[in-house]
Amino acid sequence: MAAAGAAVVKPGWAGDKRAIVNSPANITDPLVLFMPSGKRGRFPVGTPVLDAARQLGVYVESVCGGRATCGRCQIEVQEGNFAKHKITSSNDHISPKGPKEERYERVRGLPERRRLSCSAQILGDLVIDVPQDTVINAQTIRKDADTRVIARDTAIRMCYVEIEEPDMHNPSGDLDRLKIALMKDWGFKNLEFDFYLLPQVQGILRKGNWTATAAIHKDADSDIARVIALWPGLKNEAYGLACDIGSTTIAMHLVSLLSGRVAASSGTSNPQIRFGEDLMSRVSYVMMNPDGREGMTVAVREAISGLVDKVCAEGNVQRNDILDSVFVGNPIMHHLFLGIDPTELGGAPFALAVSGAVRIKASDIGLKLNQGARLYMLPCIAGHVGADAAAVTLSEGPHRQDEMMLIVDVGTNAEIVLGNRARVVAASSPTGPAFEGAEISGGQRAAPGAIERVRIDPDTLEPKYRVIGSELWSDEPGFLDSVQATGVTGICGSGIIEIVAEMYLAGIISEDGVVDGSLAARSPRVVANGRTFSYVLKEGEPKITITQTDVRAIQLAKAALYAGTKLLMEKQNTEHVDRIHFAGAFGSFIDPKYAMVLGLIPDCDLDKVSAVGNAAGAGARMALLNRGYRREIEETVSQIEKIETALEPKFQEHFVYAMALPNKVDPFPKLSAAVKLPPRKTVSEDGIAGDSAPRRRSREGHAARRSRD
């Protein structure tokens, strides 16, 4: 039961105005935001944080029923001025620890900054972080390594040598005799040593009875090689990290540098999401908070350090055995990880502080691996097309083949690469966070309980769906039992794409994306919602409804992506693409048919549209295991032509046409041959169907006319 006077809260994402329904009596109640879900609501002073989380549908585990004995309901208060939400969050805005919480901390221990949400009460505006290590039903991070075999030519070589013992007739130093042995046995003529090793050399050689294994780093084209680590005797294993720092999730692979096998993989949510759901929000946070850059840099580095612990534990590997690492990320993640202020990327001309490959010691950024471990970051392509897009390009290789290949990495800022061995062009397009659940009334990230597949019967307009965590459809026997542990909590990105496409195929929405209100007479699923209509996907609690505003959010996102793709096709002077690859964790779960029905991608043979998984992570792994791939992508990036969509006069025109499903002017003959598209019909903004329904002049129409003029 909600506390008396509590806000009426509907599940939703930050930024979705329908997520909060306030009455005049409670408009001044404290605003509470939960991260990383982004759900928010207003609650009276004195409301336990756990109660607020439950009312919002935020998963905070509590086994003891709020008695402060299990410790599963831990949360953290994020302090600072969160300009996007117009609030200041502070530890002063939460009640002091009471007797129960103090007893738990005394007996069981409580990590620094952690509170028990069952005991802590709301006193003012708060941004609450639900630590991922306390969440069983955490976001599903689906970024496993692929199984490709990569030819090995690593930047690290493990070299075992036997060294001549010193004697009175050969007074040369131990280090010099080690160099001679490495030159004689391994051919290294110009060897340098990391300084930290100099005091250790004599002890290591004697401990190994005058045998040792040297880890030698040689990356860029140079005659100079460097000994970065040294062990007594034979050391027959070494590891490296390949990491993709996404704006939403971070994925890491621990890889044997000697065999190439992936010893372990892990992923986590990017903790920077509490500073802003999309990239520009994070840049704004840096601009408005003096310590903003440092806070986000610390957050992402701590998350990466935590992933290192996870993969080391899974792979039974010591941190000291990790000698090399490759990192990729979009330009803003790239800069924040390196500790660079990303402010210049917040506006034209979107200047990068560094665009080329970065080669440093891992310890330079506080990453605790072997003391001599190295770190390599792939080059960025442009101001909003980063090292992750370069890694995807390296992985998929459009520059290595003759077909015209389109690569799309769908995220809050979609990165698009189009080309073949003759020419490659690239751009970014601001799709926003709609595909990740934000700005959608029932939207959420991909987690157990989220709807990920949808089908609608075109005759009855009745839906069926599947959720993450169950293999059954909602109309199959046993479905309710299979989702009992998680429930049906919302709809994630792949489900959002499918529901809008299915609504179009079933005739519920017109090609212009307007919900047909006349269908309310046929089905109780179509309901009035003010001046527009909505479609009820799921009854019960929570009730999941696709509103007219939800459809518009998806149209805006997909139109931005398609318009960017269309610009690249024009630059390539082509009207078709031969092959389409969806990159990224989200792309792995997009059904190509529904993506094309939606008009997210151009017309293409459906059997040549495929998901390639975490291609950025695969590219990072390629660069980790083979120096030649580093040189290849450095050269390729220098030749890729960067298209800035904001400066292209035809972007707006393409955007307007792309608002329609699948498109207002572009034909989709290959899609039409595979899928029966509905006949075109006119529906007014009020949801009135019929050829004679009056059509309002929309902003899109005005924009299109301006573009043509």
Side-chain angles (χ1 to χ4, degrees):
M1 289 274 303
V8 180
V9 183
K10 297 180 180 179
W13 276 81
D16 177 8
K17 295 182 176 59
R18 295 174 312 287
I20 306 172
V21 182
N22 284 304
S23 64
N26 62 26
I27 194 68
T28 58
D29 286 342
L31 178 63
V32 182
L33 293 90
F34 286 88
M35 296 300 180
S37 72
K39 293 183 179 180
R40 61 177 181 164
R42 292 189 180 274
F43 299 91
V45 170
T47 302
V49 174
L50 181 60
D51 287 358
R54 285 173 170 170
Q55 290 180 49
L56 285 168
V58 175
Y59 187 87
V60 178
E61 187 178 6
S62 177
V63 176
C64 66
R67 296 181 179 86
T69 58
C70 71
R72 300 289 188 91
C73 66
Q74 296 177 25
I75 51 94
E76 291 181 9
V77 174
Q78 301 303 321
E79 293 193 280
N81 177 27
F82 294 81
K84 176 180 178 181
H85 307 292
K86 299 180 180 179
I87 66 170
T88 297
S89 175
S90 168
N91 275 307
D92 294 333
H93 296 173
I94 198 168
S95 62
K97 294 176 182 175
K100 290 183 179 180
E101 196 172 9
E102 287 179 342
R103 180 183 181 279
Y104 180 89
E105 185 175 29
R106 184 172 63 254
V107 176
R108 302 278 297 276
L110 199 59
E112 186 178 358
R113 297 174 57 200
R114 293 277 178 93
R115 296 293 305 274
L116 298 182
S117 62
C118 63
S119 296
Q121 296 179 350
I122 298 166
L123 302 181
D125 294 340
L126 288 169
V127 175
I128 299 291
D129 189 18
V130 182
Q132 295 302 293
D133 59 1
T134 69
V135 180
I136 292 177
N137 284 11
Q139 179 180 351
T140 304
I141 310 296
R142 302 184 267 198
K143 289 195 171 185
D144 294 333
D146 61 17
T147 57
R148 74 180 69 192
V149 177
I150 301 169
R152 288 180 297 105
D153 180 19
T154 62
I156 302 292
R157 292 187 67 180
M158 301 292 282
C159 301
Y160 172 80
V161 290
E162 298 178 353
I163 303 100
E164 288 188 14
E165 297 185 40
D167 59 40
M168 298 296 292
H169 302 288
N170 183 6
S172 61
D174 290 349
L175 184 67
D176 292 325
R177 284 179 290 104
L178 175 58
K179 286 183 177 180
I180 290 171
L182 288 167
M183 180 180 67
K184 177 183 175 182
D185 293 349
W186 296 92
F188 290 105
K189 297 180 180 179
N190 297 311
L191 270 180
E192 295 182 354
F193 281 69
D194 274 6
F195 177 76
Y196 86 95
L197 288 172
L198 300 188
Q200 303 178 23
V201 169
Q202 290 189 311
I204 290 172
L205 297 187
R206 283 159 179 78
K207 185 177 180 180
N209 195 24
W210 303 104
T211 65
T213 303
I216 299 178
H217 178 266
K218 188 175 186 295
D219 182 9
D221 296 330
S222 170
D223 293 333
I224 297 176
R226 180 174 287 273
V227 177
I228 65 169
L230 190 66
W231 293 267
L234 176 65
K235 177 75 172 178
N236 60 3
E237 191 57 285
Y239 292 87
L241 300 173
C243 186
D244 172 21
I245 309 173
S247 56
T248 304
T249 60
I250 305 172
M252 179 179 289
H253 306 303
L254 177 66
V255 184
S256 167
L257 297 178
L258 301 186
S259 68
R261 72 180 178 90
V262 177
S265 297
S266 188
T268 187
S269 297
N270 189 329
Q272 292 179 346
I273 196 168
R274 64 175 175 259
F275 301 100
E277 292 156 6
D278 55 61
L279 295 173
M280 287 301 101
S281 294
R282 297 179 202 180
V283 174
S284 297
Y285 186 86
V286 172
M287 296 170 68
M288 300 185 70
N289 292 270
D291 299 325
R293 195 280 305 156
E294 182 179 358
M296 279 192 272
T297 294
V298 168
V300 73
R301 289 180 181 176
E302 286 180 348
I304 287 169
S305 182
L307 280 181
V308 175
D309 287 335
K310 287 184 180 180
V311 294
C312 283
E314 181 183 335
N316 194 25
V317 170
Q318 300 296 316
R319 276 182 179 248
N320 194 55
D321 290 337
I322 301 175
L323 301 175
D324 201 7
S325 59
V326 174
F327 286 81
V328 301
N330 63 61
I332 291 172
M333 294 300 98
H334 171 283
H335 278 36
L336 288 171
F337 174 61
L338 292 175
I340 299 171
D341 189 331
T343 300
E344 293 297 329
L345 293 169
F350 312 108
L352 290 155
V354 54
S355 57
V358 175
R359 301 176 185 86
I360 58 175
K361 294 181 68 173
S363 60
D364 290 342
I365 60 168
L367 186 57
K368 294 181 180 179
L369 309 174
N370 185 286
Q371 192 170 348
R374 265 38 184 187
L375 186 150
Y376 175 86
M377 288 199 81
L378 271 67
C380 290
I381 296 175
H384 284 294
V385 188
D388 53 349
V392 171
T393 302
L394 176 62
S395 171
E396 301 311 301
H399 56 289
R400 302 187 201 111
Q401 41 84 50
D402 296 321
E403 285 187 317
M404 185 62 68
M405 178 188 291
L406 172 67
I407 305 172
V408 180
D409 191 342
V410 183
T412 55
N413 194 68
E415 294 170 318
I416 317 165
V417 178
L418 176 68
N420 53 24
R421 70 175 72 253
R423 184 188 184 201
V424 180
V425 294
S428 66
S429 206
T431 53
F435 289 133
E436 295 180 344
E439 301 178 357
I440 304 299
S441 55
Q444 68 166 83
R445 300 193 187 281
I451 295 173
E452 64 173 346
R453 294 280 178 259
V454 181
R455 300 291 182 268
I456 297 176
D457 187 307
D459 297 322
T460 65
L461 305 186
E462 282 298 300
K464 64 178 181 178
Y465 50 82
R466 273 176 47 184
V467 302
I468 298 174
S470 173
E471 295 299 318
L472 299 177
W473 287 89
S474 59
D475 63 344
E476 292 182 308
F479 171 78
L480 292 178
D481 291 337
S482 72
V483 299
Q484 188 173 11
T486 62
V488 181
T489 55
I491 184 166
C492 68
S494 60
I496 291 166
I497 288 176
E498 292 195 8
I499 182 63
V500 175
E502 280 280 315
M503 287 170 70
Y504 170 64
L505 292 176
I508 297 171
I509 59 176
S510 67
E511 67 168 7
D512 293 323
V514 180
V515 180
D516 186 352
S518 67
L519 296 177
R522 274 181 53 193
S523 170
R525 295 281 176 178
V526 180
V527 297
N529 185 1
R531 296 182 61 189
T532 61
F533 289 83
S534 301
Y535 178 79
V536 179
L537 175 60
K538 174 190 171 294
E539 295 282 8
E541 185 60 37
K543 185 176 183 179
I544 301 174
T545 302
I546 305 302
T547 69
Q548 183 65 71
T549 306
D550 294 337
V551 176
R552 284 285 181 253
I554 293 301
Q555 286 180 277
L556 291 168
K558 73 99 175 180
L561 177 53
Y562 189 92
T565 301
K566 190 71 175 179
L567 282 176
L568 295 189
M569 292 173 67
E570 289 181 346
K571 297 295 181 182
Q572 289 281 27
N573 196 28
T574 183
E575 294 183 356
H576 75 281
V577 296
D578 299 310
R579 190 173 296 276
I580 300 175
H581 287 182
F582 277 116
F586 177 43
S588 299
F589 294 89
I590 296 177
D591 187 311
K593 179 181 80 172
Y594 290 107
M596 202 174 295
V597 169
L598 193 66
L600 189 68
I601 52 176
D603 193 48
C604 183
D605 288 331
L606 284 173
D607 60 0
K608 291 190 175 182
V609 183
S610 60
V612 294
N614 184 20
R621 197 157 58 91
M622 291 169 67
L624 177 68
L625 290 174
N626 194 311
R627 297 177 297 171
Y629 286 128
R630 301 185 186 188
R631 307 292 86 77
E632 176 185 332
I633 195 57
E634 289 166 6
E635 176 64 23
T636 300
V637 165
S638 69
Q639 296 177 1
I640 292 177
E641 297 176 46
K642 301 87 177 176
I643 309 302
E644 181 51 63
T645 56
L647 301 179
E648 294 292 328
K650 292 197 70 176
F651 179 84
Q652 183 68 14
E653 180 179 345
H654 292 316
F655 179 86
V656 170
Y657 291 146
M659 284 290 290
L661 280 73
N663 193 280
K664 183 66 76 175
V665 295
D666 287 352
F668 279 71
K670 294 176 181 177
L671 174 64
S672 299
V675 179
K676 183 180 179 181
L677 298 178
R680 292 189 169 185
K681 68 176 178 179
T682 300
V683 180
S684 74
E685 294 291 337
D686 292 327
I688 302 172
D691 294 335
S692 60
R695 295 181 64 91
R696 298 181 179 177
R697 289 190 175 186
S698 64
R699 296 180 203 166
E700 292 87 355
H702 285 302
R705 283 187 287 277
R706 284 198 301 271
S707 297
R708 287 194 296 271
D709 293 339

